[in-house]
Amino acid sequence: MNSDALPRTAFPVDKYFQPIVHWPIAPFIAEAEAIERRARIEVHPFFEYAKNHPDALALWASQEAVVTNPFSQILLRVIARIANVHVRSLLMPVVDGEHSSVRGGIADRSHPWLIWKLCRSIGLSDRPVKVTEAVASFIEALQQTEADPMRALGALGVGNEQMLLAEYRAVEACFDAALPSADYKSFLHANIGEDEAHTRLIAEAATALEKLGYDAGQYLAGASHGVSARVRYYDELLREAQLGV
């Protein structure tokens, strides 16, 4: 039996059922979001390189296809660790946005499926995709935050959902220049269109968790951890692209 889901002794009713209210977004959220803006991921040299090297963009697509499923699974596990039902419910639209409904056996608007459609449009086959060091290190960095929901929300909300807004606009410019025939807009626009709302929901959830006794410092630490991990991801991806990995 998972002790996170069912305490072995007395059941702390207030922890699980205490209602939340529409609190103003806490000041620590703005501090965390500033960490992402200072990183300026959109001017990372990978993007300038990819505009002139379609192979680098194909590498990016293959590695994002690897990232999207573990990212969605980490998000689900983090939400499962939050005891309060109202905070979990607040975050469910984020989960839904990553997945979508199933039609004809396919979650056709899910982010993992959209990136796989992109990959297939540029000639990647159904053979297993090589996992590069860039992805392995990035996923490991996200997994390191899972045990503390507040830290994880900082990493996922600021270091991913918020960061993708600028990042994927830069990626779109790369595809426009280097691989305009690829099916990239559906994946990128699904993320860009939803991630602003997702960032807001995660900020609201973190604000509620602080009111319920969670440590705001962990959110800031998670945001810094997530942003740094994403920058390192592009550092390594650029190195691998230049080496022809």
Side-chain angles (χ1 to χ4, degrees):
M1 183 67 70
N2 183 350
S3 60
D4 287 336
L6 182 63
R8 294 181 180 275
T9 55
F11 192 81
V13 172
D14 58 338
K15 183 178 179 181
Y16 284 79
F17 299 121
Q18 182 178 333
I20 58 176
V21 300
H22 187 65
W23 289 293
I25 297 297
F28 72 85
I29 299 296
E31 288 184 59
E33 292 177 347
I35 296 170
E36 185 275 329
R37 287 192 294 273
R38 287 195 296 270
R40 300 189 68 213
I41 190 66
E42 67 275 14
V43 298
H44 193 284
F46 174 83
F47 301 120
E48 194 60 36
Y49 183 82
K51 283 181 181 178
N52 300 298
H53 295 84
D55 287 350
L57 209 48
L59 175 65
W60 175 89
S62 73
Q63 296 310 292
E64 285 296 284
V66 175
V67 167
T68 51
N69 269 305
F71 175 84
S72 298
Q73 291 170 305
I74 290 168
L75 177 64
L76 285 165
R77 291 197 294 269
V78 169
I79 293 174
R81 287 183 178 274
I82 296 172
N84 187 276
V85 62
H86 311 294
V87 179
R88 289 202 310 272
S89 296
L90 188 62
L91 290 167
M92 290 310 293
V94 183
V95 172
D96 186 61
E98 293 290 329
H99 291 83
S100 90
S101 57
V102 176
R103 298 180 180 87
I106 297 173
D108 62 340
R109 300 303 301 169
S110 68
H111 294 183
W113 183 249
L114 292 175
I115 185 63
W116 186 235
K117 285 178 63 180
L118 189 168
C119 288
R120 294 175 75 175
S121 77
I122 58 175
L124 297 182
S125 71
D126 289 340
R127 289 177 296 181
V129 174
K130 178 181 178 181
V131 178
T132 70
E133 181 58 33
V135 166
S137 297
F138 179 65
I139 293 300
E140 182 181 5
L142 294 185
Q143 290 172 330
Q144 289 168 354
T145 71
E146 281 188 42
D148 186 307
M150 197 67 145
R151 185 179 177 89
L153 289 181
L156 298 173
V158 177
N160 288 268
E161 300 290 279
Q162 179 188 339
M163 205 164 191
L164 288 183
L165 294 170
E167 178 186 328
Y168 277 12
R169 289 187 180 104
V171 170
E172 184 172 17
C174 293
F175 273 100
D176 288 343
L179 286 173
S181 62
D183 181 9
Y184 59 96
K185 290 188 182 293
S186 56
F187 171 70
L188 295 175
H189 290 182
N191 280 275
I192 293 169
E194 294 174 5
D195 282 355
E196 187 171 355
H198 291 177
T199 300
R200 177 74 181 188
L201 287 172
I202 291 172
E204 290 177 6
T207 295
L209 288 177
E210 185 200 25
K211 298 292 185 183
L212 297 173
Y214 286 73
D215 181 5
Q218 287 298 316
Y219 188 86
L220 288 165
S224 180
H225 182 79
V227 168
S228 295
R230 195 64 176 172
V231 172
R232 288 195 304 272
Y233 170 75
Y234 277 103
D235 291 342
E236 181 62 21
L237 204 62
L238 176 60
R239 187 189 71 81
E240 291 164 349
Q242 291 172 333
L243 289 174
V245 172

